[in-house]
Amino acid sequence: KAGVTQTPRYLIKTRGQQVTLSCSPISGHRSVSWYQQTPGQGLQFLFEYFSETQRNKGNFPGRFSGRQFSNSRSEMNVSTLELGDSALYLCASSLALTGAFNYGYTFGSGTRLTVV
Amino acid sequence: ILNVEQSPQSLHVQEGDSTNFTCSFPSSNFYALHWYRWETAKSPEALFVMTLNGDEKKKGRISATLNTKEGYSYLYIKGSQPEDSATYLCALNNDMRFGAGTRLTVKP
């Protein structure tokens, strides 16, 4: 079966612009979570969507937002980009909402965003 | 937010050495713990889901144990190989917020 698909793989944007990243989960998975990884940092949790609703949110400013569609595909948007937003953005899908038992996440390959 | 701590931050071993590292977590309201391996230029890959106190899981040369009463899990690698070089991450099922990881480098 197809894995988690993230597009695009690489992106270069200018400070002040906005960007939208896309994540298509494994078929049947209803939860999509987003993470940011910056150099020297671990995976920082951004938010989780389940059944088109944001269920959990990490400690990121309001410039980071997301949404989930009825087919469980999710998008993440970052507005007014800053240099510090340069990072690898990973999404992960699972069958169940975090907190309920799940067999773990399946991660996508990530989108590497560079802000110049 | 449940703080998950991993130690050490990084580890360098020689090929053939056995090694282990730790994931510590709050022991109250424990549900399950997940271990992942993240190789450079790849996606994090699920290794184990640990649920019961005293659990021991094994996949090839990698195994993990769980102590929910004292709030820790160990990951062991027997006879490390260069292909084991990766960052090993753990997260609690409750919120799937990952620890900072242990970066393992195995030198040939």
Side-chain angles (χ1 to χ4, degrees), chain A residues 25-114:
Chain A
I26 286 176
S27 177
H29 283 196
R30 295 168 63 192
S31 167
V32 174
S33 296
W34 288 89
Y35 292 85
Q36 180 198 63
Q37 193 218 15
T38 50
Q41 297 293 316
L43 287 174
Q44 303 296 312
F45 174 75
L46 280 155
F47 29 65
E48 178 183 16
Y49 284 85
F50 184 87
S51 293
E52 302 178 61
T53 304
Q54 188 182 93
R55 303 301 183 111
N56 294 295
K57 191 176 188 310
N59 190 25
F60 278 81
R63 299 184 299 107
F64 291 82
S65 63
R67 59 178 174 167
Q68 188 179 35
F69 302 94
S70 58
N71 62 357
S72 294
R73 189 177 73 85
S74 177
E75 288 183 346
M76 190 192 95
N77 185 276
V78 188
S79 62
T80 319
L81 283 165
E82 301 177 359
L83 294 177
D85 296 332
S86 295
L88 177 68
Y89 291 89
L90 286 168
C91 80
S93 76
S94 69
L95 278 168
L97 177 64
T98 293
F101 182 77
N102 68 73
Y103 289 94
Y105 286 175
T106 302
F107 281 86
S109 300
T111 294
R112 185 162 295 282
L113 171 66
T114 303

Side-chain angles (χ1 to χ4, degrees), chain B residues 54-94:
Chain B
D55 242 359
E56 180 169 350
K57 301 233 170 145
K58 192 173 179 182
K59 186 184 283 191
R61 294 178 292 97
I62 303 177
S63 61
T65 61
L66 178 69
N67 183 322
T68 60
K69 293 182 180 177
E70 295 183 36
Y72 64 83
S73 176
Y74 291 143
L75 192 78
Y76 300 90
I77 303 179
K78 185 177 176 183
S80 302
Q81 299 296 309
E83 57 265 31
D84 296 327
S85 297
T87 297
Y88 292 83
L89 300 163
C90 64
L92 286 173
N93 193 91
N94 309 56

Side-chain angles (χ1 to χ4, degrees), chain B residues 22-36:
Chain B
T22 307
C23 173
S24 302
F25 53 86
S27 54
S28 58
N29 298 319
F30 178 83
Y31 197 7
L33 180 84
H34 297 259
W35 278 102
Y36 284 78

